[in-house]
């Protein structure tokens, strides 16, 4: 072997060794996780600042009668712009679209949303932020760029490939009341949630100390556990659901009786023998609370046959709970299917609980609703 071919072989071996070492030492979805924490932290800062300055005419009512604020639009635009810079090939299933903002009547709202999104984009980078994600000084966008970014959330979803879900403000009614809401982001690959993250700016780090520090991020990567990070800092705590017995359960449910049937939950609760009152809370913050042991059960029982649950309302939270050791199914006992499209399809509700109690709860749900178990 001449010295040139020897060097070529050494170079190939060198490259190969370096590559495999990098792959081995980097956990799957490490970059996506770092990105997601950064994007959700920035969006939480945006929504908190909106709440403090929100005025009455900055909220619209959508076709389904639900409210949407300048904060929802600006936060979706911000995350979408960051995604376009970071993972340009990945499609997005986002809750909001810019249709109403493009019309003449949307002009005032539009200008306010551009200002909010640009303010959030140019905010100084903090540890973990990367310039190539399109954030930091000088990274402003034009009106058209921002509206297009919001509309990149129009992907139809489906069973194959990578896709992100964005719910820029989940629990908009809670947000408007100054109570709980969440900024929610997830990454699905072939309809399986691989990364889920929920930022809860108003949630106490410890629910038993409501006057203590507020603001939590919950994040999970499949196979890597579920962590809580204070919104104010970087330290992480790994969460694991404690063991509950059926009678020691406290359940979590929506504040809004239109979103989840309180009366069905009451029946289920009396079948199980739960005596404690439910913790009522808006948004996917409930999934984060469940993952960290604030109550051992989250029930979401349909109120009208026509409503279809959206994938952005459950994908991140579902992974948080599973990674903390819980089980999430519908009332038939089937896993939630994130591959149907933008919705979960026909609505069989959501039953999320610790693994020791899930079977007992499911049985009670089926007794109360008449839904049959499916293998
Ligand atoms: N009729 C409905 N049934 C169930 N969920 C609904 C309904 N209308 C809106 N939602 C969505 O329920 C979620 C809030 O749930 P919760 O009541 O648990 O806080 C939100 O995603 C909200 O949309 P939005 O994101 O627009 O607020
Ligand atoms: Mg909404
Ligand atoms: Mg939502
Ligand atoms: Mg929303």
């Amino acid at each position: 072997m001449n010295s040139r071919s020897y060097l070529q072989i050494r170079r190939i071996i060198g490259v190969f060794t370096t590559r495999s070492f990098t792959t081995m030492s980097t956990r799957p979805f490490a970059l996506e996780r770092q990105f997601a924490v950064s994007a959700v932290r920035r969006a939480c800062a945006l929504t908190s600042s909106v709440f403090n300055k929100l005025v009455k005419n900055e909220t619209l009512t959508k076709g389904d009668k639900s409210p949407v604020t300048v904060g929802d639009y600006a936060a979706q635009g911000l995350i979408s712009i960051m995604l376009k810079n970071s993972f340009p090939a990945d499609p997005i299933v986002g809750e909001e679209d810019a249709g109403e903002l493009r019309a003449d009547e949307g002009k005032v709202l539009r200008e306010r949303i551009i200002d909010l999104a640009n303010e959030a984009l140019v905010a100084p980078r903090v540890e973990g932020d990367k310039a190539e994600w399109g954030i930091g000084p000088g990274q402003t966008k034009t009106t058209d760029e921002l509206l297009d970014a919001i509309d990149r959330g129009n992907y139809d979803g489906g069973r194959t490939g990578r896709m992100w879900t964005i719910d820029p403000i989940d629990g908009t009614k809670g947000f408007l009341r100054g109570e709980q809401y969440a900024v929610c982001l997830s990454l699905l690959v072939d309809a399986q949630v691989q990364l889920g993250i929920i930022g809860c700016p108003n949630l106490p780090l410890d629910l038993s100390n409501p006057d203590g520090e507020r603001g939590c991020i919950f994040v999970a990567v499949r196979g890597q556990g579920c962590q809580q990070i204070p919104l104010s800092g970087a330290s992480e705590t790994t969460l694991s659901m404690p063991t509950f017995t059926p009678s020691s359960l406290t359940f979590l449910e929506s504040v809004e009786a239109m979103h989840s049937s309180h009366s069905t939950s009451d029946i289920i609760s009396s079948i199980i023998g739960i005596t404690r009152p439910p913790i009522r809370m808006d948004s996917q913050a409930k999934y984060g609370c469940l993952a960290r042991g604030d109550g051992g059960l989250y029930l979401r029982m349909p109120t009208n046959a026509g409503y279809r649950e959206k994938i952005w309302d459950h994908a991140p939270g579902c992974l948080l709970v599973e990674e903390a050791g819980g089980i999430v199914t519908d009332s038939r006992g089937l896993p939630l299917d994130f591959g149907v499209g933008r919705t979960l399809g026909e609505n069989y509700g959501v039953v999320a609980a610790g693994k020791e109690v899930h079977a007992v709860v499911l049985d009670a749900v089926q007794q109360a609703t008449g839904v049959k178990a499916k293998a």
Side-chain angles (χ1 to χ4, degrees):
M1 183 189 296
N2 65 30
S3 60
R4 200 153 152 242
S5 11
Y6 174 72
L7 276 177
Q8 272 174 346
I9 290 170
R10 279 292 308 263
R11 208 173 294 135
I12 291 166
I13 292 172
V15 168
F16 185 72
T17 324
T18 316
R19 282 223 180 113
S20 23
F21 179 74
T22 315
T23 316
M24 278 187 316
S25 65
T26 310
R27 298 182 133 217
F29 302 105
L31 183 62
E32 285 87 345
R33 184 187 191 277
Q34 187 184 352
F35 167 86
V37 171
S38 168
V40 164
R41 204 185 277 286
R42 213 161 261 257
C44 285
L46 184 159
T47 54
S48 300
S49 91
V50 170
F51 179 75
N52 295 330
K53 296 179 247 161
L54 197 71
V55 294
K56 265 213 170 87
N57 60 4
E58 288 182 339
T59 303
L60 294 176
T61 303
K62 296 200 282 190
D64 63 1
K65 308 268 189 302
S66 67
V68 56
T69 73
V70 288
D72 300 59
Y73 289 120
Q76 178 159 321
L78 165 72
I79 297 173
S80 172
I81 285 166
M82 291 182 67
L83 276 171
K84 192 174 180 202
N85 281 285
S86 318
F87 305 102
D90 291 352
I92 303 170
V93 178
E95 180 182 357
E96 311 302 346
D97 73 78
E100 304 234 18
L101 304 176
R102 291 183 193 275
D104 277 353
E105 308 82 75
K107 188 167 184 292
V108 177
L109 234 53
R110 188 164 69 218
E111 281 170 6
R112 174 93 164 96
I113 291 160
I114 309 302
D115 289 348
L116 285 166
N118 276 333
E119 216 174 279
L121 282 166
V122 302
R125 286 188 292 275
V126 295
E127 204 188 327
D129 288 348
K130 289 178 185 280
E132 60 266 31
W133 292 341
I135 47 176
Q139 302 268 21
T140 54
K141 295 287 166 206
T142 63
T143 304
D144 282 343
E145 285 169 329
L146 186 75
L147 297 182
D148 289 348
I150 294 171
D151 278 339
R152 278 194 77 227
N154 283 351
Y155 187 61
D156 281 337
R159 199 144 302 279
T160 52
R162 277 172 61 114
M163 74 188 79
W164 294 80
T165 67
I166 307 176
D167 189 343
I169 295 184
D170 177 53
T172 310
K173 288 184 177 166
F175 172 73
L176 289 168
R177 281 190 247 104
E179 296 173 11
Q180 294 310 323
Y181 71 95
V183 174
C184 306
L185 182 64
S186 77
L187 171 64
L188 288 100
V189 182
D190 297 339
Q192 265 225 323
V193 193
Q194 295 295 342
L195 163 70
I197 177 159
I198 299 185
C200 307
N202 292 341
L203 187 68
L205 285 178
D206 174 359
L207 213 56
S208 65
N209 182 16
D211 299 326
E213 185 178 338
R214 283 169 183 252
C216 318
I217 293 179
F218 299 98
V219 59
V221 172
R222 186 168 293 279
Q224 296 175 30
C226 174
Q227 292 81 33
Q228 173 171 293
I229 311 172
L231 210 43
S232 61
S235 65
E236 297 190 10
T237 319
T238 292
L239 304 176
S240 134
M241 284 186 72
T243 306
F244 286 91
T245 57
S247 58
S248 71
L249 284 171
T250 303
F251 73 90
L252 295 142
E253 69 175 354
S254 296
V255 173
E256 299 289 333
M258 284 302 291
H259 295 179
S260 177
S261 169
H262 292 172
S263 53
T264 311
S265 294
D266 281 348
I267 298 169
I268 295 164
S269 159
S270 61
I271 295 173
I272 302 172
I274 298 174
T275 49
R276 297 161 211 248
I279 301 173
R280 290 199 173 136
M281 183 184 284
D282 298 284
S283 85
Q284 283 186 62
K286 291 188 278 299
Y287 279 114
C289 286
L290 184 65
R292 71 181 184 187
D294 300 333
L297 165 64
Y298 166 27
L299 286 176
R300 190 170 187 87
M301 292 295 112
T303 53
N304 81 68
Y307 187 77
R308 298 282 180 265
E309 293 285 350
K310 312 299 187 298
I311 61 171
W312 55 79
D313 282 328
H314 299 283
C318 192
L319 187 64
L320 296 183
V321 170
E322 289 174 354
E323 285 297 317
I327 299 177
V328 184
T329 66
D330 64 19
S331 57
R332 299 168 300 174
L334 296 182
L336 306 186
D337 183 354
F338 296 104
V340 178
R342 289 172 68 86
T343 76
L344 292 173
E346 201 172 335
N347 188 355
Y348 290 97
V350 179
V351 181
K355 59 177 178 303
E356 300 80 10
V357 288
H358 187 273
V360 174
V361 172
L362 194 59
D363 191 54
V365 169
Q366 290 170 355
Q367 281 183 51
T369 58
V371 170
K372 298 262 186 323
K374 271 215 172 152

